[in-house]
Amino acid sequence: MPAIATSSSQGSAAVLRFGRFAAMGTVAVLILIAGVWASWGTAQHVMLTKGRERGTVDVARCGPDACWGRYTPLSEGSQPRARVVLENSVAVERGRTYSVVLKPGGDDAVRSGPAGVLYAWVPLGGALLLASVVVAGGLLRTRAAWVMALSGVGLLTAAFVTV
């Protein structure tokens, strides 16, 4: 009879390990998908610039949520505009000029170039850091967690330095 109890408890432990692996794996994947989803809203405009209006913005004024200024086109077919809105962040200062890409169908602009690309992917960097904790603690995969964490820190640091 003890042999049956031992194999039953081993089977229960295997099912619990698989359940933990499936649950934590799902959580880690969902965190990463959310990071890509949050980043792609801006990154698509910065990375896929073919056919989009590109130019520069001379920031004249800043409010609590946004900065705006005169838009000077650099791409063919783009028209100058008196007012283009740029998201107010720590990286936008009044009196400076930034290269931008205009979002289709409006006067909203996003920064372009390496600074714009890295800034667009900042949510993914945060997701990598958060998912690394789940991978290390829930999946017990420390090497993969370190790779994810260092990738997230590298992305966030590069964005901070370039912006």
Side-chain angles (χ1 to χ4, degrees):
M1 203 63 155
I4 295 173
T6 304
S7 66
S8 175
S9 66
Q10 289 175 348
S12 297
V15 168
L16 287 174
R17 275 195 307 271
F18 177 75
R20 184 189 72 207
F21 182 79
M24 291 296 111
T26 301
V27 169
V29 168
L30 286 175
I31 290 170
L32 292 174
I33 288 172
V36 170
W37 185 274
S39 296
W40 187 246
T42 303
Q44 66 178 326
H45 302 294
V46 178
M47 295 175 68
L48 307 173
T49 59
K50 186 175 181 181
R52 300 194 193 269
E53 294 183 70
R54 294 183 311 263
T56 59
V57 172
D58 298 319
V59 177
R61 299 190 68 197
C62 287
D65 298 328
C67 291
W68 53 90
R70 182 172 301 280
Y71 171 75
T72 307
L74 295 176
S75 62
E76 290 185 32
S78 182
Q79 299 297 321
R81 295 188 171 120
R83 184 173 189 251
V84 171
V85 178
L86 195 60
E87 179 186 334
N88 190 9
S89 69
V90 294
V92 179
E93 295 176 4
R94 192 173 141 221
R96 294 196 55 196
T97 301
Y98 299 99
S99 60
V100 296
V101 175
L102 295 181
K103 291 183 179 180
D107 290 331
D108 291 333
V110 292
R111 289 186 63 178
S112 62
V117 171
L118 289 170
Y119 184 69
W121 288 105
V122 163
L124 177 63
L128 282 166
L129 283 174
L130 183 58
S132 71
V133 174
V134 174
V135 169
L139 298 177
L140 304 176
R141 304 284 189 246
T142 54
R143 285 187 194 152
W146 275 108
V147 169
M148 291 172 69
L150 292 175
S151 299
V153 167
L155 177 59
L156 294 173
T157 303
F160 179 77
V161 169
T162 59
V163 171

